[in-house]
Amino acid sequence: MVALRLRESFWFLPALFGVAAVVLAEVLVSVDRSVIDGGVRIAVLDALSAGGGRSILTTIGTAMLTVAGTSFSITISVLATTSSTYGPRLVRNFMADRANQFVLAAFTSTFVYAIVVLRSVHTAIDDGSAFVPVIAVHVAVLMGIVDVGVLVFFIHHIATSVQISSLQKQVQVDLVAAVDQAFVDRDEPHDDVTVASQNADADRGRTVRAADDGYVQSVDWHRLVTWASRHDRVVVMRVMPGDHVIVGDPLAVVTGADVAAGEDDGTARQVRACIATGTARTPFQDVRFALQQLVEIAVRGLASGTNDPYTAVSALDLAGAVLVPAWRDRQAVTGYLDDAHVARVLPHWPALEDLVDTVFEGVGTYGRDHPIVLRAAHRLAERLAEVGADDRGARAARAARSIALRLQQSEHVDQQ
């Protein structure tokens, strides 16, 4: 959970690169001192005066700080445009984009490196002996040249990432990861999860309640299973990623042979430590939110000010690429197993039927006046009906008939 938050932090990679730049600068300055003291001359490196070295480092540092500020301004502008056009929840995708973090880190670390090296340059007037770290200065020049390439890459990347196809593809990647968390193939054996029905006497357990307000962002299932197995407990989840809790709401019920209703023995603290909450939902384990982002892009494309039904069509196609295989082969995880294949944590992931209904409800509400969108929704429903077995197939067939009826009505209105 900490790693996830660091990944989505815009400051972490620049801070890491900044520390590395300071270390590199100090190391190269020390190497320069050793080379000078040893009387070694490196032919490929030109001798520099103190004034020349300072000018080079000052120019590189100033230029990199200016470019970093410009790049950051461009990123903020893109965030504002994207959030207003396709939805404010997509801002997180830009914050978590490793390429954007790397570009900012490259520019700021070069600036830090130049400043640290600059402080070591001095003339004979300063302290009686001149010192110019030639190796460190030439490395700064090399870093400046590399940063020019980074700038070109950033311009290309930012221009590509704001395209609707790129945004939708990134959202689909998040959806695939979330579906993999919640659903597994029903016919394949798994060592760590089960899809069989699990029963637990939650009425006789200890209820763990929320200590903070916010959305459940993720659950460390492995850590929770390990703790439950060590203490011979079964944890019945009352909330799942995406649920909003306030102080006092039940998070989970812990059951076991010797669970008492008396003083807290650390159970609540251990369970809360495995459940991460925050001020906003994330698609990491929240499969509803991951799908909601695709639906939101489709709905905003159908808004009167945008009037772009093709965005909605592509969103439906991308959602179908994930939902159809899951509809055919997968089932929600009902329990997480320990090494002895005992179910220790019992979640309640959303049903695939509810996720599919979310797509059709959004399209049915906002796309009823767009035959192109209705045809894409009908195509998705037919695909689900073809691969679905038993109740799933019948449910998708009913949805296909309903959408076909709406499509006929829409086309009739257009003809009139």
Side-chain angles (χ1 to χ4, degrees):
M1 291 183 286
V2 175
L4 175 65
R5 291 180 177 178
L6 290 178
R7 179 184 179 276
E8 297 183 355
S9 298
F10 211 54
W11 57 266
F12 176 69
L13 205 59
L16 191 64
F17 273 48
V19 173
V22 172
V23 174
L24 178 63
E26 294 291 351
V27 169
L28 290 181
V29 169
S30 298
V31 171
D32 270 303
R33 291 187 187 277
S34 300
V35 169
I36 293 174
D37 292 342
V40 179
R41 303 185 67 86
I42 303 177
V44 296
L45 300 181
D46 297 331
L48 289 173
S49 65
R54 283 174 173 171
S55 297
I56 292 174
L57 294 172
T58 301
T59 301
I60 292 175
T62 303
M64 289 305 105
L65 188 60
T66 302
V67 172
T70 303
S71 301
F72 186 75
S73 299
I74 293 173
T75 303
I76 295 299
S77 177
V78 169
L79 289 178
T81 303
T82 303
S83 62
S84 63
T85 305
Y86 303 117
R89 281 153 290 277
L90 291 177
V91 172
R92 182 204 137 270
N93 292 340
F94 285 92
M95 298 292 289
D97 191 332
R98 279 296 191 196
N100 292 335
Q101 295 175 5
F102 169 76
V103 169
L104 184 61
F107 293 149
T108 55
S109 61
T110 301
F111 168 76
V112 171
Y113 175 87
I115 292 298
V116 174
V117 175
L118 180 62
R119 61 187 287 271
S120 67
V121 179
H122 53 264
T123 64
I125 300 176
D126 296 329
D127 60 358
S129 61
F131 175 71
V132 181
V134 179
I135 298 177
V137 172
H138 280 79
V139 170
V141 173
L142 180 61
M143 293 174 67
I145 295 173
V146 171
D147 285 342
V148 173
V150 173
L151 177 61
V152 174
F153 162 78
F154 173 72
I155 295 173
H156 169 78
H157 175 74
I158 205 72
T160 303
S161 61
V162 296
Q163 296 178 20
I164 185 60
S165 57
S166 299
L167 289 172
Q168 288 180 319
K169 188 61 180 179
Q170 180 57 51
V171 173
Q172 187 199 36
V173 170
D174 293 337
L175 177 59
V176 170
V179 168
D180 289 340
Q181 289 269 348
F183 303 94
V184 294
D185 291 339
R186 63 165 67 92
D187 297 328
E188 293 185 6
H190 301 274
D191 295 332
D192 55 347
V193 299
T194 181
V195 295
S197 299
Q198 302 292 329
N199 297 317
D201 191 1
D203 295 335
R204 299 180 58 185
R206 172 180 297 167
T207 300
V208 177
R209 300 187 179 276
D212 300 301
D213 302 334
Y215 290 96
V216 178
Q217 294 181 331
S218 62
V219 180
D220 192 337
W221 303 111
H222 178 73
R223 179 180 176 185
L224 195 55
V225 168
T226 301
W227 173 84
S229 178
R230 185 183 306 119
H231 295 85
D232 193 20
R233 301 283 192 265
V234 175
V235 181
V236 183
M237 299 299 300
R238 293 303 192 202
V239 296
M240 292 295 289
D243 293 337
H244 185 268
V245 297
I246 60 176
V247 175
D249 281 353
L251 298 177
V253 176
V254 181
T255 66
D258 59 344
V259 172
E263 295 296 328
D264 189 0
D265 60 355
T267 296
R269 183 179 67 257
Q270 293 290 341
V271 173
R272 290 193 194 107
C274 298
I275 302 175
T277 59
T279 57
R281 297 171 68 179
T282 67
F284 174 58
Q285 292 182 353
D286 188 354
V287 64
R288 287 193 186 94
F289 182 69
L291 183 61
Q292 175 188 313
Q293 286 187 304
L294 268 180
V295 175
E296 182 177 2
I297 293 176
V299 169
R300 283 181 172 266
L302 297 173
S304 58
T306 306
N307 196 23
D308 180 17
Y310 294 100
T311 295
V313 171
S314 61
L316 285 171
D317 291 339
L318 291 176
V322 181
L323 294 177
V324 171
W327 189 260
R328 180 184 59 235
D329 301 323
R330 296 198 176 196
Q331 188 170 338
V333 173
T334 59
Y336 291 94
L337 311 178
D338 60 11
D339 293 337
H341 297 282
V342 176
R344 292 298 180 181
V345 180
L346 308 183
H348 55 92
W349 292 105
L352 273 170
E353 291 79 1
D354 294 337
L355 298 180
V356 171
D357 288 345
T358 299
V359 177
F360 290 140
E361 287 172 2
V363 173
T365 303
Y366 299 97
R368 63 180 59 189
D369 297 328
H370 300 272
I372 295 175
V373 178
L374 291 177
R375 291 191 189 97
H378 185 260
R379 183 169 63 248
L380 174 58
E382 286 186 328
R383 286 174 173 172
L384 293 172
E386 290 175 0
V387 302
D390 302 329
D391 293 340
R392 283 186 178 178
R395 189 186 186 108
R398 289 193 299 269
R401 289 193 295 269
S402 176
I403 296 173
L405 180 60
R406 292 181 182 179
L407 180 59
Q408 291 176 358
Q409 294 172 347
S410 176
E411 291 176 343
H412 179 68
V413 171
D414 290 341
Q415 291 174 358
Q416 290 181 338

